[in-house]
């Protein structure tokens, strides 16, 4: 009897690491592919009277999604690959998505989960559960109700049947609510690919939450000033530096004229109010602001705060 085939331990095979499947390289590409799948199925759904789920399986095969399970065979990497891919399908079934999108994402999740390669030789990793936040699970149970419109009604019985099969097989592993961040990893993508020539701080997606540090504030201020100078001096048929300024001055003059006709309006009172608030803010922060001095000068000159607007 011949032994079962097994990978050679002496050969250094190159395998995809698990963090590849949680990185932006895989996650963003898969999200785009799922959007394309939804679009293709929507086009086919509008042009044929074939049974919805049968039609979806046809589109699935035509686009080559049936080969997705052969992407990776290493146990550690395959575990992450299956979990992340199922999560990407599941995220399109949330309540904020369009009803048609939710139904197609459910079809995709069902086929992907139940077409896993089972009991191969050598053994191949598969998943038996899909983690899902509790609030997402509740919205999933009521998803068929949003398919009651005439255009989507053919999808409703299929969605009901697929959900009942998933619930009966206890596929979903229910986690705490999504706002508690119980998913692992908490957000996808977890690792962001940065092309050569760009620093970590230059990637917009990498901005940290909260107040930016002083160095970043200075950098942002310099960039804003350079962009403003470039905009003012920009040549061209629109004459951005001159024509836009003239429009602004005309709008300002119109506003001042309208305010001057209002007997309840006082530019001096408004300036005094702004000055008091700036002084209160300066006392609470313990810093001297240039804007405070400018408002004081405007109040002393009798021209008011609108004089500061060019």
């Amino acid at each position: 009897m011949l032994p079962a085939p097994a990978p050679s331990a002496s050969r250094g095979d190159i395998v995809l690491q698990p963090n590849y499947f949680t990185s932006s390289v895989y996650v963003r590409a898969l999200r785009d592919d799922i959007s394309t799948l939804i679009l293709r199925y929507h086009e086919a759904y509008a042009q044929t009277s074939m049974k919805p789920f049968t039609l979806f399986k046809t589109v699935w095969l035509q686009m080559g999604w049936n080969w997705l399970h052969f992407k990776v065979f290493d146990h550690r990497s395959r575990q992450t690959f299956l979990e992340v891919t199922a999560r990407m399908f599941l995220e399109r079934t949330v309540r904020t998505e369009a009803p048609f999108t939710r139904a197609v994402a459910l079809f995709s999740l069902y086929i992907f989960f139940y077409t896993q390669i089972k009991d191969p030789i050598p053994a191949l990793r598969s998943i038996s559960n899909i983690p899902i936040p509790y609030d997402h699970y509740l919205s999933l149970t009521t998803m068929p109700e949003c398919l009651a419109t005439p255009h989507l009604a053919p999808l409703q019985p299929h969605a009901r049947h697929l959900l009942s099969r998933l619930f009966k097989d206890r596929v979903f592993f229910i986690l705490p609510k999504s706002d508690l961040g119980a998913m692992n990893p908490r957000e996808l993508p977890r690792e962001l690919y940065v092309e050569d020539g760009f620093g970590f701080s230059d990637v917009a997606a990498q901005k940290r939450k909260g107040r930016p540090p002083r160095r970043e504030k200075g950098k942002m201020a310099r960039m804003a000033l350079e962009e403003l100078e470039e905009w003012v001096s920009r040549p061209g048929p629109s004459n951005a530096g001159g024509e836009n300024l003239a429009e602004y001055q005309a709008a300002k003059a119109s506003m001042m004229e309208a305010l001057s006709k209002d007997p309840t309006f006082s530019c001096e009172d408004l300036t005094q109010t702004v000055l008091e608030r700036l002084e209160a803010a300066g006392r609470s922060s313990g810093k001297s602001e240039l804007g405070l001095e400018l408002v004081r000068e405007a109040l002393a000159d009798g021209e008011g705060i609108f004089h500061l607007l060019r």
Side-chain angles (χ1 to χ4, degrees), residues 200-241:
F200 185 80
S201 61
D202 294 330
V203 182
Q206 290 290 342
K207 291 182 178 178
R208 296 178 294 179
K209 295 181 179 179
R211 295 182 178 179
R214 184 177 300 177
R215 180 178 299 178
E216 186 175 346
K217 286 183 179 179
K219 181 179 178 181
M220 293 170 60
R222 288 193 299 271
M223 291 177 61
L225 181 60
E226 291 173 359
E227 292 178 0
L228 179 60
E229 292 178 348
E230 180 183 356
W231 179 82
V232 171
S233 60
R234 184 185 304 162
S238 63
N239 191 17

Side-chain angles (χ1 to χ4, degrees), residues 16 60 63 121 126 159 176 183 186 211 225 235-236 268 273 278:
L16 292 171
W60 179 276
M63 296 185 64
I121 299 179
S126 62
M183 296 291 285
R186 183 178 181 130
R211 295 182 178 179
L225 181 60
E268 183 178 356
T273 302
L278 286 176

Side-chain angles (χ1 to χ4, degrees), residues 98-288:
F100 186 88
T101 298
R102 298 178 69 188
V104 179
L106 175 62
F107 290 178
S108 304
L109 178 67
Y110 180 88
I111 291 181
F112 179 77
F113 181 81
Y114 284 107
T115 57
Q116 293 182 85
I117 305 173
K118 301 290 185 66
D119 302 323
I121 299 179
L124 198 61
R125 183 66 61 88
S126 62
I127 57 175
S128 57
N129 296 106
I130 301 175
I132 181 172
Y134 178 66
D135 54 332
H136 189 174
Y137 176 81
L138 291 180
S139 68
L140 196 63
T141 60
T142 60
M143 190 185 73
E145 297 176 4
C146 71
L147 302 174
T149 60
H151 176 65
L152 302 177
L155 300 172
Q156 191 178 51
H158 297 279
R160 249 195 214 104
H161 175 73
L162 300 187
L163 284 174
S164 64
R165 173 73 184 279
L166 291 170
F167 296 153
K168 180 181 178 181
D169 294 343
R170 299 183 178 180
V171 170
F172 295 114
F173 181 73
I174 302 177
L175 300 174
K177 292 184 178 181
S178 53
D179 56 355
L180 298 177
M183 296 291 285
N184 183 29
R186 183 178 181 130
E187 294 180 354
L188 286 174
R190 179 173 59 187
E191 299 86 3
L192 293 172
Y193 171 72
V194 181
E195 296 183 2
D196 294 339
F198 292 89
F200 185 80
S201 61
D202 294 330
V203 182
Q206 290 290 342
K207 291 182 178 178
R208 296 178 294 179
K209 295 181 179 179
R211 295 182 178 179
R214 184 177 300 177
R215 180 178 299 178
E216 186 175 346
K217 286 183 179 179
K219 181 179 178 181
M220 293 170 60
R222 288 193 299 271
M223 291 177 61
L225 181 60
E226 291 173 359
E227 292 178 0
L228 179 60
E229 292 178 348
E230 180 183 356
W231 179 82
V232 171
S233 60
R234 184 185 304 162
S238 63
N239 191 17
E243 186 173 320
N244 288 346
L245 178 59
E247 292 179 0
Y248 165 75
Q249 290 175 339
K252 176 187 170 184
S254 177
M255 181 191 68
M256 293 298 296
E257 182 181 357
L259 290 175
S260 63
K261 296 179 181 179
D262 187 354
T264 62
F265 172 76
S266 173
C267 185
E268 183 178 356
D269 293 342
L270 177 61
T271 306
Q272 183 64 38
T273 302
V274 173
L275 179 60
E276 292 175 358
R277 291 186 178 182
L278 286 176
E279 289 176 343
R283 286 194 298 269
S284 62
S285 63
K287 297 179 181 179
S288 177

Side-chain angles (χ1 to χ4, degrees), residues 79-100:
Q79 178 76 21
T80 307
F81 156 70
L82 293 172
E83 291 175 351
V84 170
T85 305
R87 182 173 170 179
M88 291 295 98
F89 287 126
L90 193 62
E91 74 175 12
R92 300 303 299 270
T93 64
V94 296
R95 193 188 302 272
T96 55
E97 294 283 352
F100 186 88

Side-chain angles (χ1 to χ4, degrees), residues 31-41 59 63 65:
R31 282 173 174 163
D32 292 341
D33 290 340
I34 293 174
S35 297
T36 303
L37 173 63
I38 295 171
L39 178 62
R40 293 283 182 85
Y41 179 66
V59 175
M63 296 185 64
W65 282 91

